[in-house]
Amino acid sequence: MKNDKEFSIKETVNKNIERVQFPAFNQHSSLLGWCSMNYPRVLQNPQFMPKPKPKEYDDNLDFLYQKRKKVLLKFQNQEQQNNQLIKPFTNYQLTKEAVIPEDVGVPPPGFKKTLKQLTTAKPESKALIYNQTYKDYDPYLNIKPINSQFKQEQNENFTRNIRQVGDVVYNQSYENEDIRHLKKLPNSILSEQNLQEVLTPKLRFLNLHNHTWLKMEQISKIGYFAINLEEIVLSNTDLEDDILMELAKSCKNLKYIDVSSCQKLTEIGIRNFLDFTSKYLQGFKCASNLQSITDYSLEPLQNAPLLQRINISFCNNLTSNFTKYLLQSGCRLQELQIATVENLQADLLSDLISRSKVDMELLDVSFIPTKDISDSVISATSLCTNIHTLILSGSTNISDSSVGRLSSLHKLKQLKLGGIQYLADNTLVYIAQSCNKLEMLELNNCSKLGEQGLEGILKALPNLQVISINFTPEISDAFLQEKRNEYPKVNIIRTINKMTDPKDDGLRMPLPLESVVMQRPKKKKKK
């Protein structure tokens, strides 16, 4: 009976399986090949399997650039180190010295430049690298300075700050699908999200030209976040009167604004803005606003003594009262652009140009074919010795003798004389010899320009880059090709030589020739 009590059928069966059945299962052919990945040969209890140790990361990343110095271990001398194998990196130690290479901010080979790089550097180090990397791209940036996109170091006591009454709060919302797609755009395109990150006290210049996807609610609060903003471009947007007035009140350091092609602005809105900002405004650009730019809306400019740049091109509703306002203000202009503004008197305009002869750098009086823009304006322009850009295209009333007075403008780099058909070769060569710093010259529709004149201009201008000579029938194609080969660095543009049929809109198909017309064979009559 004792043996019966100690007998266990369960133990006997387990021993039998382990001795007989398991070896057969272990050596079964189904365990070979891909099945071995799912059915291992060695069975282990997962509770006793060793767990992998977590990786240890070094949190000491305060320095962007690190270098290692080779040092001897304490228990070794020079002979022992040469004769004994040492594990890698055991004889190196980190040094807390920031090492900046010569090419700062240059990515490794095979990588492109990006505006936001994944680095552990502090904002001051990033700002230094960005200022040196993008110093040549300053005229093409939408944000100035470029380091304003880096966030400032967070205050340690930020949790204790309580929002006060009057603090500006803007909660960005992504309601439609278009806004969600804008989040996928690169950082170079300002969207509602990254614009909010850029609006900091460091920001000085902001270009929002044609940014119609931005909400007017966010644009109206730009001045509260970027309190030191000086220049802003809002051309070709849905800007309204109340938003413009809100910017005037919030941007207390505003010096220049561009509201060109903003069709929703009204005459009263422009006047209210200038009433508020005329005392400290230095630049105002409002081209292509036919309805809002009138003598009534620009009347507050008579109280703008600091005005330096103004552009009212394609605003044909203005009269000579506009020049009276500028004369009464006593301002000295650096840039004056009044293209297609025909209702101006020549004497008032010449007085305005003469008073700014020392500071004038850019003058645009193009497409004014009236008699008022005549020799008196050109004689006043010839006194502006510091001017570098002069545009007279389309002002056909200017004579050949008055154009010769422009030879005194030795600092001129860009000159446009298109449409002045009375210009002779001798006058153009004389201007080219006097203004030898010219880089761009436009002579479209100067029908009297010949081959000798073109050759003299190319010889007299060593810095010339572009010359446009459309509608010059006296210059042959063979001579033009010869000069292009002789001066490969100069871009000689002539896409149209002769005037085409004015009735031809390019949509009519010419009639086919009789020899080309194929006659279809006649069908045979059925019998």
Side-chain angles (χ1 to χ4, degrees):
M1 298 297 295
K2 185 177 179 180
N3 295 332
D4 296 339
K5 292 181 179 179
E6 292 179 358
F7 177 77
S8 176
I9 188 63
K10 184 177 180 180
E11 183 180 356
T12 304
V13 171
N14 290 337
K15 288 183 179 181
N16 187 25
I17 292 174
E18 185 177 359
R19 183 174 55 85
V20 179
Q21 300 296 332
F22 187 77
F25 170 76
N26 190 21
Q27 298 176 2
H28 198 268
S29 61
S30 63
L31 293 178
L32 301 178
W34 66 272
C35 295
S36 61
M37 295 184 293
N38 299 327
Y39 304 97
R41 292 176 178 272
V42 181
L43 301 179
Q44 294 181 357
N45 191 344
Q47 295 182 355
F48 299 100
M49 293 177 64
K51 297 181 180 179
K53 297 182 179 181
K55 295 182 179 179
E56 297 181 358
Y57 296 96
D58 188 7
D59 298 333
N60 187 11
L61 298 176
D62 296 336
F63 301 94
L64 177 61
Y65 301 101
Q66 298 177 352
K67 68 177 183 180
R68 302 175 184 268
K69 289 185 177 180
K70 188 174 182 180
V71 295
L72 292 176
L73 300 179
K74 294 182 180 180
F75 59 89
Q76 292 178 344
N77 53 22
Q78 186 67 31
E79 296 179 357
Q80 291 178 351
Q81 186 177 10
N82 296 335
N83 299 328
Q84 186 177 0
L85 296 176
I86 304 175
K87 294 182 179 180
F89 304 104
T90 56
N91 57 343
Y92 286 82
Q93 68 178 6
L94 293 175
T95 58
K96 295 185 177 181
E97 296 181 5
V99 180
I100 302 178
E102 296 181 358
D103 299 334
V104 180
V106 178
F111 292 87
K112 298 181 180 179
K113 291 183 179 180
T114 58
L115 286 179
K116 289 190 176 181
Q117 300 166 345
L118 298 176
T119 61
T120 58
K122 294 183 178 180
E124 294 80 7
S125 303
K126 289 183 180 181
L128 177 62
I129 294 174
Y130 270 52
N131 290 336
Q132 295 182 7
T133 305
Y134 298 99
K135 60 182 179 180
D136 298 332
Y137 301 96
D138 189 67
Y140 310 103
L141 297 176
N142 289 344
I143 306 168
K144 298 178 185 178
I146 188 64
N147 57 20
S148 61
Q149 61 180 311
F150 300 122
K151 297 182 179 179
Q152 298 178 354
E153 293 185 358
Q154 197 172 18
N155 187 10
E156 296 179 355
N157 301 325
F158 68 97
T159 56
R160 301 179 182 178
N161 294 336
I162 302 175
R163 187 164 62 89
Q164 304 295 329
V165 178
D167 288 353
V168 181
V169 179
Y170 175 73
N171 297 324
Q172 52 191 1
S173 60
Y174 302 99
E175 299 174 355
N176 8 13
E177 187 178 359
D178 298 338
I179 299 298
R180 294 197 300 270
H181 288 319
L182 288 174
K183 293 175 63 177
K184 302 177 182 179
L185 294 176
N187 295 324
S188 57
I189 299 178
L190 290 176
S191 61
E192 193 172 322
Q193 180 180 2
N194 51 20
L195 177 60
Q196 186 67 22
E197 299 176 357
V198 166
L199 295 178
T200 60
K202 295 182 180 180
L203 192 63
R204 297 291 186 275
F205 173 82
L206 182 61
N207 185 1
L208 298 179
H209 169 69
N210 204 18
H211 284 55
T212 55
W213 54 85
L214 297 178
K215 292 183 179 180
M216 289 295 108
E217 179 185 1
Q218 186 180 18
I219 294 178
S220 64
K221 296 182 179 181
I222 287 177
Y224 297 107
F225 296 101
I227 57 178
N228 296 322
L229 188 65
E230 297 179 357
E231 299 186 13
I232 184 170
V233 179
L234 297 170
S235 55
N236 201 13
T237 59
D238 298 333
L239 191 65
E240 298 178 355
D241 294 343
D242 54 347
I243 306 299
L244 183 62
M245 195 61 193
E246 188 71 20
L247 290 173
K249 294 179 180 180
S250 59
C251 301
K252 298 181 180 180
N253 297 324
L254 189 63
K255 297 180 180 179
Y256 174 81
I257 188 170
D258 185 358
V259 292
S260 301
S261 302
C262 295
Q263 304 301 330
K264 292 187 177 181
L265 292 177
T266 61
E267 189 178 8
I268 300 176
I270 295 292
R271 183 181 177 90
N272 294 337
F273 172 79
L274 293 178
D275 280 332
F276 196 88
T277 60
S278 59
K279 294 182 180 180
Y280 55 86
L281 196 63
Q282 298 182 9
F284 184 60
K285 186 175 181 180
C286 53
S288 302
N289 290 332
L290 297 177
Q291 303 298 330
S292 57
I293 301 301
T294 58
D295 293 337
Y296 173 76
S297 61
L298 298 184
E299 187 176 359
L301 290 180
Q302 60 187 352
N303 300 322
L306 302 178
L307 191 65
Q308 298 178 358
R309 297 180 291 172
I310 187 167
N311 185 356
I312 55 168
S313 300
F314 307 102
C315 299
N316 299 330
N317 295 329
L318 291 173
T319 62
S320 58
N321 294 329
F322 161 73
T323 53
K324 293 180 181 179
Y325 298 151
L326 297 181
L327 290 172
Q328 292 176 7
S329 65
C331 62
R332 298 182 181 275
L333 299 176
Q334 294 181 0
E335 298 180 6
L336 177 61
Q337 301 181 44
I338 52 173
T340 71
V341 183
E342 300 182 359
N343 301 324
L344 298 179
Q345 296 181 5
D347 52 351
L348 296 176
L349 183 59
S350 58
D351 293 342
L352 181 62
I353 296 174
S354 299
R355 192 173 62 181
S356 306
K357 60 183 179 181
V358 180
D359 303 323
M360 186 68 71
E361 296 178 357
L362 187 147
L363 180 61
D364 183 3
V365 290
S366 58
F367 299 101
I368 306 179
T370 58
K371 295 181 180 180
D372 295 332
I373 305 301
S374 57
D375 299 343
S376 60
V377 177
I378 300 301
S379 60
T381 306
S382 62
L383 302 176
C384 303
T385 55
N386 294 324
I387 193 170
H388 59 76
T389 302
L390 180 59
I391 303 176
L392 301 174
S393 301
S395 300
T396 56
N397 198 43
I398 300 175
S399 61
D400 179 70
S401 58
S402 60
V403 174
R405 300 178 184 177
L406 301 178
S407 58
S408 60
L409 306 178
H410 302 294
K411 296 182 180 181
L412 202 61
K413 293 184 178 181
Q414 185 175 357
L415 179 60
K416 294 185 179 182
L417 302 173
I420 305 177
Q421 300 182 1
Y422 303 103
L423 294 179
D425 291 347
N426 297 333
T427 304
L428 294 174
V429 173
Y430 177 64
I431 294 175
Q433 292 174 354
S434 303
C435 308
N436 54 3
K437 294 183 179 180
L438 277 173
E439 298 177 357
M440 192 275 173
L441 181 61
E442 180 197 344
L443 300 174
N444 293 330
N445 203 13
C446 295
S447 57
K448 291 188 177 182
L449 178 63
E451 297 179 354
Q452 295 181 357
L454 179 60
E455 185 175 3
I457 291 172
L458 295 175
K459 288 182 180 179
L461 298 176
N463 300 324
L464 188 63
Q465 299 178 3
V466 180
I467 181 171
S468 182
I469 53 172
N470 289 319
F471 300 109
T472 52
E474 295 188 6
I475 300 177
S476 61
D477 295 338
F479 179 81
L480 186 62
Q481 186 62 34
E482 180 183 352
K483 294 304 170 185
R484 285 174 176 171
N485 298 333
E486 186 177 354
Y487 300 93
K489 296 183 179 180
V490 182
N491 185 12
I492 304 177
I493 301 175
R494 190 174 76 168
T495 56
I496 305 175
N497 187 15
K498 297 181 181 179
M499 187 69 69
T500 58
D501 186 5
K503 296 181 180 180
D504 188 5
D505 55 358
L507 302 177
R508 294 183 289 116
M509 295 294 294
L511 296 175
L513 300 176
E514 296 181 356
S515 58
V516 180
V517 176
M518 299 179 62
Q519 296 182 358
R520 295 181 180 179
K522 296 181 179 180
K523 295 183 180 180
K524 297 181 179 180
K525 295 181 180 180
K526 296 182 180 180
K527 296 182 179 179

